C-alpha cells in the first residue's frame, strides 16, 4: 500500500466548511476507486488542513493526487488556499482495527491523528522497519482507543508514521509510547525526529483491505 499526505493552508473559508464539501464530494469519489484503501481529512488548526490517502498501488496513489487537484479546481473555487509539499511513501508496517471501516462525517464525532517524521542518518530502512514491526506495532495496536498505525518509507532516508486514535488522550499516550520506543529500542539507528503534526479527523473513509496487516 502507498500513502500520500497533502497539506494546505487556508486563506479564505473555514476548515469546517471545506470538510463538509469534501465529505459530500471528493471522499465519496475517491472511495469508489478500485484501488482505494482509506482517506482522512484532518483539521490541524490555525488554518492548516491535511489529507491522508492510502491506495493499493503507487500508480493509484499518483492518480489520486491528480484526481484531488482536478476536483479542487472544479469544486473549491470559493476557497483560497496554498498547497504545501506532499509526502508520499510505501507502507511497510501497518495495523488497523475494524472501527476504521465506519465512515467519519463532518458533522460526526472526531478521531485524532498524529504524524511523526524522521531522518534515518545511520542504519538500513529495512532493519528499522523490521524492528518497528516486531517490537512496536503490536504494542500501539493494544492501546485503548487504537484505530490504525502505518510506518512509511518515503525514500532518501525519510521515514514517517501515521497513528489514528479514537480520542485525544489515546493520541497523547501513543505519542509517549513512540518517544519511549525510539529512545529505548532504536539506539542502534541514528534516527532524528524532524516534525510532529496532528489534528482532528473530520472526514474518513476506509475499505476492508486496510485491515490486512502489513509486515516488514
Amino acid at each position: 500500500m502507498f500513502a500520500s499526505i497533502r497539506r494546505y493552508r487556508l486563506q479564505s473559508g473555514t476548515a469546517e466548511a471545506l470538510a463538509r464539501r469534501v465529505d459530500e464530494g471528493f471522499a465519496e469519489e475517491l472511495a469508489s476507486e478500485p484501488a482505494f484503501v482509506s482517506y482522512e481529512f484532518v483539521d490541524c488548526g490555525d488554518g492548516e488542513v491535511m489529507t491522508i490517502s492510502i491506495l493499493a498501488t503507487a500508480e493509484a496513489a499518483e492518480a489520486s493526487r491528480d484526481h484531488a487537484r482536478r476536483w479542487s479546481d472544479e469544486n473549491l473555487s470559493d476557497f483560497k488556499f496554498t498547497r504545501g509539499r506532499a509526502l508520499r511513501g510505501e507502507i511497510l508496517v501497518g495495523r488497523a482495527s475494524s472501527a476504521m471501516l465506519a465512515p467519519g462525517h463532518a458533522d460526526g464525532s472526531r478521531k485524532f491523528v498524529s504524524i511523526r517524521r524522521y531522518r534515518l542518518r545511520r542504519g538500513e530502512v529495512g532493519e528499522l522497519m523490521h524492528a518497528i514491526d516486531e517490537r512496536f506495532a503490536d504494542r500501539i495496536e493494544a492501546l485503548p482507543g487504537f484505530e490504525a498505525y502505518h510506518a512509511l518509507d518515503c525514500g532518501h532516508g525519510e521515514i514517517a508514521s501515521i497513528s489514528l486514535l479514537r480520542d485525544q488522550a489515546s493520541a497523547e499516550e501513543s505519542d509517549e509510547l513512540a518517544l519511549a520506543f525510539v529512545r529505548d529500542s532504536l539506539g542502534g539507528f541514528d534516527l532524528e525526529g524532524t516534525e510532529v503534526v496532528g489534528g482532528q479527523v473530520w472526514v474518513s473513509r476506509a475499505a476492508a483491505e486496510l485491515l490486512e496487516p502489513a509486515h516488514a
Side-chain angles (χ1 to χ4, degrees):
M1 295 186 293
F2 292 79
S4 179
I5 301 168
R6 306 180 189 95
R7 295 167 72 171
Y8 307 87
R9 174 69 61 181
L10 278 172
Q11 296 166 321
S12 70
T14 66
E16 181 176 1
L18 180 57
R20 292 182 184 280
R21 191 81 56 87
V22 168
D23 192 17
E24 296 166 358
F26 180 73
E28 289 297 307
E29 289 185 18
L30 186 63
S32 68
E33 295 292 331
F36 171 80
V37 178
S38 69
Y39 173 82
E40 285 85 34
F41 175 100
V42 183
D43 177 11
C44 302
D46 296 323
E48 184 176 7
V49 298
M50 176 171 59
T51 64
I52 306 166
S53 302
I54 298 179
L55 286 300
T57 67
E59 294 78 11
E62 286 298 313
S64 77
R65 180 183 64 177
D66 296 335
H67 184 176
R69 188 176 289 271
R70 286 196 308 272
W71 187 88
S72 297
D73 291 343
E74 294 170 2
N75 295 278
L76 301 179
S77 60
D78 51 333
F79 290 87
K80 293 185 187 298
F81 54 86
T82 56
R83 293 179 172 92
R85 175 179 171 266
L87 182 67
R88 295 183 288 275
E90 182 177 6
I91 296 173
L92 299 183
V93 179
R95 305 287 192 274
S97 79
S98 58
M100 287 292 295
L101 301 184
H105 296 290
D107 57 355
S109 59
R110 309 274 186 263
K111 301 174 186 177
F112 286 79
V113 66
S114 177
I115 295 177
R116 308 181 72 88
R117 298 173 65 180
Y118 304 89
R119 176 68 59 187
L120 181 61
R121 298 187 296 193
R122 184 182 68 246
E124 298 294 327
V125 170
E127 293 178 5
L128 174 63
M129 289 294 182
H130 184 71
I132 292 170
D133 192 19
E134 290 289 316
R135 291 184 268 157
F136 181 73
D138 291 341
R139 290 167 60 190
I140 195 168
E141 186 177 16
L143 284 178
F146 169 84
E147 299 224 350
Y149 173 81
H150 312 291
L152 286 64
D153 177 8
C154 302
H156 307 290
E158 185 169 15
I159 307 298
S161 69
I162 304 169
S163 302
L164 284 134
L165 289 305
R166 184 177 57 230
D167 52 51
Q168 188 168 4
S170 298
E172 291 172 355
E173 187 174 357
S174 77
D175 283 341
E176 292 172 2
L177 189 65
L179 285 169
F181 175 70
V182 171
R183 182 188 64 238
D184 300 337
S185 300
L186 298 180
F189 299 91
D190 188 354
L191 193 63
E192 176 192 9
T194 58
E195 185 182 32
V196 180
V197 61
Q200 292 185 320
V201 178
W202 285 62
V203 178
S204 64
R205 303 288 191 276
E209 287 78 3
L210 185 69
L211 304 185
E212 186 67 28
H215 295 289

